[in-house]
Structure formats: structure tokens, C-alpha cells
Amino acid sequence: MTDTFKALERAPRDSRFPLAEILDAIRFNTDGLIPAIAQQHDSGEVLMMAWMNRETLEETLRTGRVCYWSRSRGKPWRKGESSGQQQHLKGAALDCDGDTLLLQVDQTGPACHSGRRSCFYVALEGDEARIASEPLIDPDTLYGRG
């Protein structure tokens, strides 16, 4: 844990710190990424997990439109750029170690590429896995492949 996050442990509520100082202290992994969990701001529903680097985090904070780092494409991925299902930032928080982000978002339609509201639809129950939700939109329709 960095000294910055160690110092934050004892900071009183509503203490303020320069954003650049906190961003400098984030514990990005060896690929320069941090996991970002997207949660619907009003319902608390966990929608998805993706990765951010400093550039996409700064863009998200600056613009209010959530931008992740696509590991498969090797470039920034503005949520909804191909599906139209955007995420608008309502709040962002780092965990106590500075190595995970929680994004409070307003999600337009499904968050998952499968057309489901949440990416977490495979329920692990005993010795089975159960599909726990139906797609809101057919993925082929969602991405114009139909």
C-alpha cells in the first residue's frame, strides 16, 4: 500500500486532497490497469467489471462519460460507442488500498454485450450454473449484426 493511501486511513471525514496526488498513488497493475466495477447509482445493481488506465480514468472524470481500457483492442473503449448503451458517471471511489475503482453510473439499457442488464448473470448454485436473467435486447440487434 502506498504512503498516500496509508495516510488516508486516518483522515477525518470530508478531508480534501489534490486529485493528481491521489491519481499518482493509485496501484495500477503491471499492465498499467486498475479494475473498475460499475454499479447502477440508484439501485445498487452491480453491472459489470472492466479495466481502466490512468488516461481512461482521467477522461471519465473529466467528461462524465465512462471510458474503459479495452485489453483486446489495446485502446480506450467508450462504453456504448458501438451499442449505444452508454454509462454516465454519477460518482467514483477508490478502495482503501488504491487498487480498485467503484463507479456509480447511470446505465442506458443493458450493460452486458450479451444484451443483459448485468454481466453477472451466470449464477453458481451447488453443482450447477444457472442463467439468471434474460437478455433485454438480442445481441445481434444491439450491435447491428442482425
Side-chain angles (χ1 to χ4, degrees):
M1 180 184 319
T2 68
D3 291 339
T4 299
F5 284 96
K6 193 70 173 159
L8 295 178
E9 289 178 2
R10 300 200 184 278
R13 183 180 178 151
D14 292 329
S15 298
R16 305 274 179 177
F17 300 88
L19 182 61
E21 176 184 331
I22 302 303
L23 294 180
D24 286 344
I26 289 177
R27 295 177 54 205
F28 293 98
N29 69 16
T30 56
D31 294 323
L33 302 173
I34 185 171
I37 301 164
Q39 182 180 41
Q40 179 63 32
H41 75 99
D42 52 359
S43 70
E45 179 182 21
V46 176
L47 301 171
M48 59 178 282
M49 180 276 193
W51 297 93
M52 290 181 142
N53 62 15
R54 182 163 178 161
E55 172 192 346
T56 59
L57 174 54
E58 288 176 337
E59 177 180 323
T60 297
L61 295 173
R62 185 179 64 254
T63 67
R65 177 154 177 221
V66 180
C67 180
Y68 297 107
W69 179 259
S70 172
R71 294 179 302 164
S72 61
R73 297 178 212 143
K75 66 178 190 173
W77 158 47
R78 287 153 196 91
K79 181 69 175 150
E81 64 190 351
S82 57
S83 69
Q85 311 303 308
Q86 298 181 10
Q87 289 178 351
H88 297 279
L89 187 68
K90 296 295 185 177
L94 286 160
D95 76 334
C96 58
D97 295 325
D99 64 3
T100 304
L101 278 163
L102 177 61
L103 304 175
Q104 299 285 322
V105 303
D106 189 16
Q107 173 70 47
T108 304
C112 185
H113 75 279
S114 71
R116 290 174 173 84
R117 176 74 177 161
S118 171
C119 292
F120 297 97
Y121 64 88
V122 181
L124 305 177
E125 302 173 341
D127 62 355
E128 296 179 323
R130 178 181 62 85
I131 303 305
S133 67
E134 293 288 334
L136 300 174
I137 300 173
D138 181 90
D140 290 337
T141 303
L142 187 60
Y143 294 99
R145 299 182 298 231

